[in-house]
Amino acid sequence: MYNKLILIIIALTLFTACKKSEADLEAEVDPAPQFDTRTEIGRKQQEMYDRYGIIFEYKWNRFAYAPNVVADPAREEDVLPYIELLDEVFFKAMDTVSGPGITSTKETPVRILLIGSGINYGGAESFGEATAGQAGNIQPNRLTLGGLTAFGAIVRAKTATSDANYLRAIYDAAPNSSPNDAGLIGFVYHEYTHYLDSKHQIPKGFETPARTEYLRGSNQYQSVPLATAIARGFFIPYGMQNEHEDFATYVQTMIWKTQAVLNSTYLTNNATREKYRLVTRYFENLNIPIDNLKAYLNKDSVKDRLMQLKRKYE
């Protein structure tokens, strides 16, 4: 009888304990960032945060990457024109082609870090791995964009050829970036593609047509002529490093070249045609059709606004 009584007490205790509800979990939410809206840069940072939920950073913090990383911080005089350039060639372009919902809530990183030149891994200016931009697995929710110092000089230049040089830097050959193909637009969308890669991975089967041609862990691509790279299934020799760079260089080339040039120069074998098809479908599935994006970026009205931006900062 005593043993039964003990068992009944234990059972009642367990039953009562099971009926107790756990305290509701509460997520820790960081407070909204504060910008110095007394300054033009601060007001633009606030505007971009309010519109897209994106934090633009430009004060260098090496511990965001690794203690031995060095970089030239962005100069304040170069920050505002660069953000306005990005607003024109990326944010407004994406809004127009895909709709604000895609840009502001679904397919953009939370932070964009701007730097003067590039990031150097190795702890000294003269050695280590250097890069002008970065996105992807190292910092999956941050896009790092460099080259502000060189671009600032191009924006402010006032010579007989400065307007042409400015548009060339935006559309054809970006200063201080490698590969410089497709200018600032190509550079930005190349790095943005790495962000998409980290979030969605590369298109399924993309690496298959040229799987045996990747030059992994080497700089051999630097000696490969463009025609040879294309014949092996690549759009830019830089893409021969691995499938992730290959994917990003396909995107920057597809935004850069007209369809006629793509057909005559790049889509000349089964490998490039198949990879082109996969990239096109990938972006269509994200509601970011590349052909529409390219058409928008090449509108005269967009180029006019870019020239107005240069006049503002000359």
Side-chain angles (χ1 to χ4, degrees):
M1 182 67 182
Y2 176 77
N3 289 339
K4 288 183 179 179
L5 182 61
I6 294 297
L7 290 172
I8 290 170
I9 292 171
I10 292 172
L12 287 171
T13 301
L14 291 172
F15 177 76
T16 303
C18 289
K19 289 185 68 177
K20 290 181 180 178
S21 60
E22 293 184 0
D24 293 335
L25 294 176
E26 294 184 1
E28 292 186 9
V29 179
D30 290 339
Q34 300 295 313
F35 305 105
D36 186 358
T37 53
R38 296 170 299 177
T39 68
E40 283 191 277
I41 293 177
R43 288 192 291 273
K44 188 65 178 180
Q45 287 176 298
Q46 185 71 61
E47 176 194 338
M48 299 303 285
Y49 180 76
D50 291 342
R51 281 166 53 196
Y52 301 111
I54 290 176
I55 300 171
F56 273 90
E57 303 169 311
Y58 64 91
K59 294 182 179 178
W60 174 247
N61 174 12
R62 66 193 177 112
F63 292 102
Y65 296 93
N68 65 339
V69 170
V70 295
D72 293 327
R75 298 182 303 187
E76 289 198 1
E77 65 194 76
D78 298 326
V79 171
L80 190 57
Y82 199 88
I83 294 177
E84 292 189 14
L85 278 168
L86 290 178
D87 195 7
E88 190 64 56
V89 302
F90 182 79
F91 292 100
K92 290 178 181 175
M94 290 278 283
D95 272 2
T96 302
V97 170
S98 306
I102 295 292
T103 315
S104 62
T105 62
K106 293 183 179 180
E107 301 298 348
T108 45
V110 173
R111 295 174 183 270
I112 296 179
L113 175 62
L114 304 176
I115 55 179
S117 56
I119 305 170
N120 189 291
Y121 294 88
E125 295 291 347
S126 59
F127 67 91
E129 178 191 354
T131 178
Q134 183 170 276
N137 293 330
I138 297 176
Q139 293 280 325
N141 219 11
R142 174 187 278 125
L143 198 64
T144 300
L145 300 175
L148 269 73
T149 302
F151 229 99
I154 289 173
V155 169
R156 288 186 293 273
K158 294 182 70 173
T159 68
T161 60
S162 60
D163 285 0
N165 292 340
Y166 171 71
L167 289 177
R168 182 173 181 272
I170 293 174
Y171 285 93
D172 291 307
N176 204 61
S177 66
S178 178
N180 70 352
D181 309 66
L184 175 70
I185 289 172
F187 170 63
V188 170
Y189 283 96
H190 177 112
E191 297 304 329
Y192 174 62
T193 300
H194 285 314
Y195 164 76
L196 293 177
D197 183 353
S198 72
K199 184 177 180 181
H200 302 289
Q201 286 74 56
I202 64 174
K204 186 176 180 180
F206 175 81
E207 75 282 8
T208 302
R211 185 189 299 275
T212 61
E213 301 292 346
Y214 289 115
L215 306 173
R216 300 185 186 278
S218 72
N219 291 327
Q220 295 179 54
Y221 73 89
Q222 294 176 348
S223 61
V224 178
L226 176 62
T228 302
I230 293 172
R232 294 179 182 177
F234 302 90
F235 272 5
I236 297 175
Y238 189 88
M240 299 179 76
Q241 295 178 85
N242 54 61
E243 59 270 30
H244 305 287
E245 295 297 348
D246 189 12
F247 178 36
T249 53
Y250 258 72
V251 173
Q252 75 182 92
T253 306
M254 290 166 65
I255 289 176
W256 177 32
K257 296 296 185 182
T258 65
Q259 193 60 50
V261 172
L262 287 171
N263 290 340
S264 64
T265 303
Y266 295 87
L267 302 175
T268 55
N269 57 72
N270 290 335
T272 57
R273 285 191 289 267
E274 175 61 10
K275 290 160 78 173
Y276 172 85
R277 184 187 70 81
L278 291 171
V279 173
T280 301
R281 187 173 65 183
Y282 180 96
F283 277 84
E284 286 175 348
N285 289 341
L286 292 175
N287 197 29
I288 311 172
I290 288 184
D291 284 347
N292 293 359
L293 193 58
K294 175 165 53 181
Y296 173 85
L297 290 167
N298 282 283
K299 282 185 173 182
D300 288 339
S301 58
V302 172
K303 293 180 180 180
D304 288 343
R305 288 196 296 273
L306 290 171
M307 290 309 306
Q308 290 169 13
L309 194 154
K310 186 178 190 316
R311 296 290 177 263
K312 178 180 176 180
Y313 290 102
E314 281 179 342

